[in-house]
Amino acid sequence: DYATFLLLRPRAVLQLALNMPDHTTVCKAGLHLDRRRRRGYFYALEQQRREGGDATAEELFKMRQQNRAAQMGDPDLEMLHETAMEWRKARAWIKWINKPQTRGQCKKVLRGHTSWTTAAHYISSGQVILTGSADRTLKAWSPYTAEMLTDVGGHAQGITVIAVSRDGTLMVTGAENGELVLWDVDVDVDDGVTFPTEKKRFFAHSKRISSITFMSDSSIVSASDDKEVKIIDVEAGEEVSSFIPFRFPVSAVACAPPDKIPLIATAGRNEVKLWRPDTLERRGGLYGHENKVDDVQFAPNGAWIATASWDCTLRVWKQVRPREWVVTSVLKGHFDAVRTVAWSPDSRTLCSGAADRTVRVWTLENEEGGVFDQLAAFNGHGDKVTNVQFHPAGSLLLSSSRDRDVRIWDTRVPFKSVDIATHASSVDVVATSKLIDTVASAGGDAIVKVWDVYTTQLKFSFEPGHASTITALCFSNSGNYLVTGSKDGTIKRWDVEKEGKVCAGKARAHKGGVQTMAAHHNGEFFLTAGAQDSKITVWEADTFIDILSFTGPPDLKVFRANFSLDGKFVISADSSNSMRVWNIEAQKEVLSRRVGAHGELWQTIDFSTDGKYIITIEMYSHDIVLWNASGGLREEGILRGHTSTVIDTSFSSDGRFLCSLGADMALLVWIIKSRTIACNFYFEFKPTVVKTATAWPLIVAGDSSGNVYFQEFIPPASLVEEEGE
């Protein structure tokens, strides 16, 4: 059921409705699957627990499904799942192979509150997450599926804080109006799912409750904007004692661990004061922050105190004398007010949340000196972070925010296993090998990087030493050599097996720079084309000697040049809007044909490897003109899909597809036969180059930030079947 719903996102439900006979039934099924997903299996568990029935939770859940299907006319779920899978196969899509995989980033997002979330806490040994919000509600969630299990209850005004006792059996929530609610938490549930039940509610303060902490399993300390700090017996709901530590609102309170000397820390303005809870005697203070201290927390082992301040720093304090605490670490990294701080259960990791929308993790570097250092920074929240809280096991972390979301983070390292940023500047050219699984890329940083196609990992990199930008790359047919061409007009050959450390040949090829290169099918020759000298030169691969040259009209830019499939001709496209065919044996031009109307200025001309199709792109145009070159030259149609200038194109090795890049940040894959878009992919940075590999459907692209993308085109099932036939 859950897997089916994931396939039936609203967009998918709509597509199904448009393609199935019974539109109403399918749309209705998608909507009720959403409802079923939200209420879910855990709802059945809770119902069983409350009603005390004999039926298992699974049976209750199935009964609810059957009843709803009978009432609402839902189709059979298996049929719906099969239909969704068929629809999935019918779509073409692009798989990003080397997409950055992360650990330590956001694992789940809990979304359902209608106002900002102010607190989040694990209960029931981490099996349930409770969240409080300014929308006045308290919600329970599954940490595994991010499903909202139930609305636990709420307050008359916005919830500001959640605190759980150390043994996990009691919970207290506080609100804007000074109200406290005591909740009973059952931790001994076989199924691992439990929800708090309300025990008592009472008013403890006259204004907003800013902080609550358990001093023992039966007493709490609360702080408020009414300037009072109160010690309360929660079982009796009675105040034990109270005091006013400052002449201004108290922003946070914390209590030392029960096995240490009893202390209460109160934070207000830019200072923290320490007190004995039994006598309310002052026991020193923490001074040094330059702005308001918004949170204070004792480490579980009692060795340190952490403070979070609006001065954008956290400070870690260590006691050196009975009334004296010194700073062991000043943690800088946030660039806005730090609002919250929390310790891991082992006291070796700190996490903080700030108004800069980030959550940062700090780890203990020197235990004796109490020195902490930043381990990671998590981005994802769209507004100020209001609260952070560790899982009881210490590896997971909760954060709530004014963006209404609660996020679950994994703090275990490594945080990133793949990083796609590869070049220091724009990627300008990409080449693929025909026989070995290797791709090469080069750009404005004058460095060539060679990649393994299957692992997408960097094999090696080297600097060819050209005097200018690298503008062309070409592998030999065997893949043993890589030739680099530059804007300085030179070409160099490099031994791939020796990782580019040996230059096996060098020559001056063209005046004005090298525009493009291609290898002959027998591997004995390769060609280069000039960017300004209208010349195409054929080179002997072993000796690196030019054996013949073809020269067109003066001052032309050769866009593309390649050997024909039989290897007897060279085909070129140039800035005169002409396609030219050169006979290698006769060493002369045998055919010249203008593509398009006179007066049109083409930005580029490209042709498929089988020579059947030609595409032309007018200067600054959004459109691609497709020509059929079989038995003559005729216009097949115009490919319209980009909303900005087309930057680069590349035909698939079988000539059935065309990939195009646009300044609109889009990669489009076109089906040549139908002249339609099969699928698209959008880049974060402006794309610069695209190249289809010999092992189609692999696509390699680069962008202006130096990223190299390895992508796989997944064709729709209809095209796969057509190809099979």
Side-chain angles (χ1 to χ4, degrees):
D1 192 354
Y2 179 66
T4 306
F5 175 79
L6 290 180
L7 291 168
L8 294 176
R9 309 298 290 191
R11 194 172 179 182
V13 174
L14 179 59
Q15 291 288 340
L16 278 170
L18 294 175
N19 291 282
M20 290 185 65
D22 191 352
H23 301 171
T24 307
T25 302
V26 175
C27 286
K28 190 182 291 183
L31 295 174
H32 291 299
L33 277 171
D34 183 32
R35 186 179 301 165
R36 188 176 299 119
R37 174 178 181 260
R38 283 188 285 121
R39 298 178 73 176
Y41 177 75
F42 292 110
Y43 183 88
L45 278 175
E46 175 59 9
Q47 186 184 45
Q48 179 198 13
R49 189 174 72 83
R50 288 179 176 174
E51 295 177 357
D54 295 329
T56 66
E58 230 172 78
E59 289 170 343
L60 285 170
F61 187 54
K62 287 180 180 177
M63 286 168 59
R64 184 179 296 108
Q65 282 184 316
Q66 293 167 0
N67 291 337
R68 186 177 291 115
Q71 294 170 5
M72 309 303 295
D74 286 358
D76 181 76
L77 289 177
E78 291 184 9
M79 179 276 292
L80 192 56
H81 181 75
E82 289 174 6
T83 306
M85 292 301 293
E86 289 174 6
W87 178 84
R88 175 68 161 148
K89 291 176 183 177
R91 294 177 60 239
W93 57 290
I94 294 176
K95 179 182 179 181
W96 185 1
I97 300 173
N98 68 326
K99 183 176 181 178
Q101 303 299 313
T102 59
R103 286 188 61 191
Q105 300 295 327
C106 184
K107 298 302 177 184
K108 301 286 182 184
V109 180
L110 313 183
R111 189 165 289 155
H113 285 289
T114 58
S115 187
W116 65 79
T117 52
T118 53
H121 214 295
Y122 284 100
I123 63 168
S124 189
S125 302
Q127 302 299 309
V128 175
I129 296 172
L130 284 178
T131 60
S133 168
D135 66 8
R136 310 178 185 183
T137 64
L138 188 68
K139 298 181 186 294
W141 308 77
S142 166
Y144 310 109
T145 64
E147 299 301 312
M148 190 187 78
L149 305 179
T150 187
D151 275 317
V152 175
H155 286 258
Q157 291 191 16
I159 297 171
T160 57
V161 63
I162 298 173
V164 178
S165 63
R166 288 181 173 85
D167 63 5
T169 60
L170 290 176
M171 182 181 77
V172 176
T173 56
E176 292 278 354
N177 59 357
E179 183 186 43
L180 289 176
V181 177
L182 176 66
W183 306 82
D184 216 352
V185 181
D186 185 2
V187 295
D188 298 321
V189 177
D190 295 334
D191 297 293
V193 179
T194 183
F195 304 110
T197 54
E198 184 180 326
K199 287 187 67 176
K200 190 173 296 185
R201 73 173 58 214
F202 54 92
F203 283 89
H205 294 273
S206 60
K207 291 186 178 180
R208 182 184 76 98
I209 296 176
S210 56
S211 181
I212 301 173
T213 185
F214 272 85
M215 189 168 66
S216 68
D217 290 335
S218 61
S219 61
I220 64 167
V221 181
S222 63
S224 169
D225 289 351
D226 63 8
K227 306 177 186 178
E228 277 193 288
V229 173
K230 294 186 177 183
I231 301 174
I232 299 171
D233 184 327
V234 289
E235 292 287 356
E238 297 177 354
E239 177 185 318
V240 176
S241 59
S242 66
F243 61 100
I244 299 177
F246 308 104
R247 292 177 295 173
F248 34 81
V250 183
S251 54
V253 290
C255 291
D259 57 343
K260 301 296 179 181
I261 297 175
L263 282 177
I264 296 175
T266 58
R269 292 284 176 91
N270 61 346
E271 59 182 323
V272 175
K273 293 180 180 179
L274 302 173
W275 312 80
R276 282 289 298 267
D278 50 354
T279 63
L280 300 183
E281 175 191 358
R282 277 283 303 278
R283 301 295 293 175
L286 312 178
Y287 307 99
H289 280 292
E290 298 174 1
N291 208 329
K292 178 184 176 181
V293 178
D294 223 12
D295 200 6
V296 58
Q297 295 291 338
F298 282 88
N301 63 5
W304 302 289
I305 297 176
T307 53
S309 170
W310 285 22
D311 63 10
C312 306
T313 69
L314 293 100
R315 292 177 185 245
V316 179
W317 309 76
K318 181 179 180 179
Q319 189 173 18
V320 293
R321 294 184 182 86
R323 293 173 179 262
E324 185 179 352
W325 295 70
V326 296
V327 177
T328 62
S329 289
V330 178
L331 308 180
K332 298 180 180 179
H334 289 289
F335 54 87
D336 206 339
V338 187
R339 310 300 298 269
T340 178
V341 63
W343 288 93
S344 64
D346 63 2
S347 302
R348 302 186 65 85
T349 306
L350 268 173
C351 68
S352 57
D356 62 7
R357 307 179 183 184
T358 67
V359 175
R360 296 178 187 266
V361 180
W362 316 80
T363 186
L364 181 62
E365 296 290 334
N366 184 328
E367 187 169 0
E368 185 177 346
V371 178
F372 287 76
D373 198 10
Q374 181 171 310
L375 182 64
F378 301 151
N379 297 286
H381 280 298
D383 208 332
K384 300 173 183 177
V385 179
T386 56
N387 183 254
V388 289
Q389 190 68 234
F390 271 99
H391 186 279
S395 59
L396 298 178
L397 175 68
L398 289 176
S399 64
S400 57
S401 168
R402 290 178 69 95
D403 65 4
R404 306 181 185 183
D405 294 344
V406 172
R407 292 176 178 261
I408 305 175
W409 312 87
D410 187 350
T411 63
R412 292 171 292 188
V413 295
F415 290 97
K416 289 188 176 180
S417 57
V418 177
D419 189 352
I420 67 165
T422 59
H423 287 274
S425 62
S426 174
V427 179
D428 298 326
V429 61
V430 169
T432 60
S433 173
K434 293 183 179 179
L435 295 183
I436 63 173
D437 307 317
T438 305
V439 170
S441 60
D445 57 4
I447 295 176
V448 175
K449 293 183 180 288
V450 179
W451 310 86
D452 186 288
V453 168
Y454 289 114
T455 65
T456 71
Q457 298 298 305
L458 179 68
K459 297 175 73 173
F460 62 89
S461 62
F462 65 95
E463 294 187 41
H466 289 287
S468 188
T469 306
I470 299 169
T471 55
L473 292 171
C474 176
F475 278 100
S476 64
N477 273 6
S478 65
N480 295 327
Y481 292 97
L482 175 66
V483 182
T484 58
S486 171
K487 198 173 181 178
D488 63 11
T490 63
I491 56 174
K492 296 182 180 182
R493 185 176 65 173
W494 305 89
D495 193 325
V496 174
E497 293 182 352
K498 296 180 180 178
E499 299 187 348
K501 297 175 182 177
V502 177
C503 181
K506 178 181 178 181
R508 178 163 292 279
H510 297 278
K511 181 181 178 180
V514 180
Q515 175 66 21
T516 186
M517 293 190 292
H520 193 275
H521 306 300
N522 63 14
E524 297 178 4
F525 310 100
F526 70 95
L527 65 79
T528 60
Q532 296 179 12
D533 60 6
S534 310
K535 188 170 70 171
I536 299 170
T537 305
V538 179
W539 305 78
E540 194 174 66
D542 291 335
T543 62
F544 228 54
I545 296 174
D546 56 323
I547 55 176
L548 61 97
S549 293
F550 303 117
T551 304
D555 302 323
L556 291 181
K557 178 179 181 178
V558 180
F559 291 123
R560 293 284 192 274
N562 207 344
F563 291 99
S564 62
L565 291 176
D566 58 10
K568 296 180 180 180
F569 300 91
V570 170
I571 307 170
S572 66
D574 57 48
S575 55
S576 68
N577 300 353
S578 299
M579 297 289 298
R580 303 177 191 274
V581 179
W582 312 80
N583 187 303
I584 295 177
E585 187 176 350
Q587 299 187 19
K588 65 178 183 180
E589 180 182 323
V590 294
L591 179 66
S592 175
R593 180 163 295 183
R594 177 175 288 274
V595 182
H598 287 277
E600 292 176 325
L601 182 60
W602 297 110
Q603 175 178 299
T604 189
I605 301 177
D606 197 3
F607 47 82
S608 60
T609 51
D610 58 9
K612 291 181 179 179
Y613 294 102
I614 300 168
I615 60 103
T616 57
I617 303 167
E618 195 174 351
M619 192 68 70
Y620 308 118
S621 175
H622 305 177
D623 301 333
I624 302 169
V625 183
L626 179 67
W627 305 82
N628 192 322
S630 319
L633 190 64
R634 66 180 186 276
E635 184 177 324
E636 283 278 312
I638 298 177
L639 309 181
R640 290 192 172 99
H642 287 287
T643 58
S644 190
T645 305
V646 180
I647 297 171
D648 195 19
T649 59
S650 182
F651 278 94
S652 64
S653 56
D654 59 9
R656 299 173 66 208
F657 301 92
L658 174 72
C659 297
S660 63
L661 288 182
D664 54 5
M665 318 292 275
L667 164 64
L668 304 182
V669 178
W670 302 84
I671 303 171
I672 297 296
K673 186 176 181 180
S674 61
R675 302 192 298 278
T676 57
I677 298 173
C679 57
N680 55 34
F681 177 89
Y682 285 89
F683 295 87
E684 182 178 357
F685 303 100
K686 182 180 177 181
T688 53
V689 62
V690 63
K691 181 74 174 178
T692 56
T694 306
W696 173 257
L698 181 68
I699 304 169
V700 185
D703 69 20
S704 58
S705 291
N707 300 318
V708 176
Y709 300 79
F710 290 87
Q711 299 166 314
E712 181 183 359
F713 169 63
I714 310 296
S718 58
L719 285 180
V720 175
E721 291 169 4
E722 180 183 324
E723 185 177 358
E725 292 173 2

